Amino acid sequence: MTTHTDPDGVVIRALTEADIPAAQAIMMRSVIEDFGDSYDPVVHADVDDIAGWYIEPEGPFMLVAEDTAIGEVIATCGIRAGALKEGLSPRHLVDRYRDGRTGQLVRVYVLKEHRRRHIARALVQAVIDRARQEFYYDTIALHTYPHSPGALPFWQSLGCELVEDDVDGITKAVFFELPLDRQPADA
């Protein structure tokens, strides 16, 4: 994975074992601060075992953004097999994403004090670019919450298509998909 540095001194790179404690802290802080949720061992199983979910298997991966001025990881974004958790997501979407060719975009978190620097957009684009190059997935799926500031317009601006509005359902989320073409992003 090539690293990308923006003019603001943020490096986007693959997550390493050494990054795991910082990544876990970012994820749990974001879950608490942004969503008002608390730790749930079922929902956060991947956070508990980041290496097992994003480093060891082929296909899934996680990228981080590091602010080189302070030498700290400040954001995360990953992709993994698209299977949704039964009982926590609409049944038809659980079935739809069992195909093994759908990647689920996950853990897109930027610490509050580093927002408005286009870090999330750069991370997501880097994940999309890598997913296109590796050919593990044909489609990227994701979900977000309407109460997450700017989330819906952000995903729509990236070309994501709405597939399910479950705001009044079990998840309270909105589900999007982004088909991956087989061409690199710069082709």
Side-chain angles (χ1 to χ4, degrees), residues 10-83:
V10 175
V11 174
I12 307 248
R13 59 178 175 75
L15 172 96
T16 66
E17 291 272 350
D19 297 323
I20 291 175
Q24 288 171 318
I26 289 166
M27 292 174 195
M28 290 315 303
R29 179 177 158 193
S30 297
V31 165
I32 293 164
E33 288 179 358
D34 296 338
F35 305 119
D37 289 338
S38 57
Y39 172 79
D40 179 324
V42 173
V43 174
H44 302 113
D46 65 314
V47 177
D48 289 338
D49 182 18
I50 289 177
W53 283 73
Y54 301 106
I55 295 177
E56 295 165 8
E58 283 191 51
F61 62 88
M62 180 162 286
L63 303 181
V64 295
E66 178 183 349
D67 186 320
T68 58
I70 59 174
E72 294 180 10
V73 173
I74 58 171
T76 62
C77 181
I79 191 168
R80 64 180 187 230

Side-chain angles (χ1 to χ4, degrees), residues 9-180:
V10 175
V11 174
I12 307 248
R13 59 178 175 75
L15 172 96
T16 66
E17 291 272 350
D19 297 323
I20 291 175
Q24 288 171 318
I26 289 166
M27 292 174 195
M28 290 315 303
R29 179 177 158 193
S30 297
V31 165
I32 293 164
E33 288 179 358
D34 296 338
F35 305 119
D37 289 338
S38 57
Y39 172 79
D40 179 324
V42 173
V43 174
H44 302 113
D46 65 314
V47 177
D48 289 338
D49 182 18
I50 289 177
W53 283 73
Y54 301 106
I55 295 177
E56 295 165 8
E58 283 191 51
F61 62 88
M62 180 162 286
L63 303 181
V64 295
E66 178 183 349
D67 186 320
T68 58
I70 59 174
E72 294 180 10
V73 173
I74 58 171
T76 62
C77 181
I79 191 168
R80 64 180 187 230
L84 298 173
K85 294 178 178 78
E86 300 212 23
L88 299 177
S89 300
R91 180 71 195 180
H92 68 281
L93 291 180
V94 171
D95 293 339
R96 180 178 180 145
Y97 299 141
R98 285 183 204 261
D99 66 359
R101 298 297 304 161
T102 301
Q104 185 180 167
L105 195 64
V106 295
R107 308 298 180 203
V108 183
Y109 299 133
V110 179
L111 292 176
K112 282 184 178 183
E113 59 271 23
H114 296 283
R115 292 183 185 158
R116 312 313 283 163
R117 295 170 61 188
H118 307 285
I119 295 167
R121 183 172 299 277
L123 267 170
V124 168
Q125 191 60 57
V127 167
I128 292 168
D129 291 347
R130 181 170 163 181
R132 280 186 174 127
Q133 292 169 356
E134 292 183 350
F135 301 117
Y136 282 103
Y137 308 111
D138 294 326
T139 302
I140 292 178
L142 64 105
H143 69 275
T144 191
Y145 300 97
H147 63 274
S148 183
L152 297 177
F154 172 77
W155 293 115
Q156 291 166 331
S157 77
L158 289 171
C160 295
E161 301 167 0
L162 178 68
V163 293
E164 177 82 16
D165 182 339
D166 192 45
V167 173
D168 296 323
I170 189 169
T171 65
K172 311 290 186 230
V174 178
F175 293 80
F176 288 96
E177 287 181 3
L178 178 66
L180 290 175

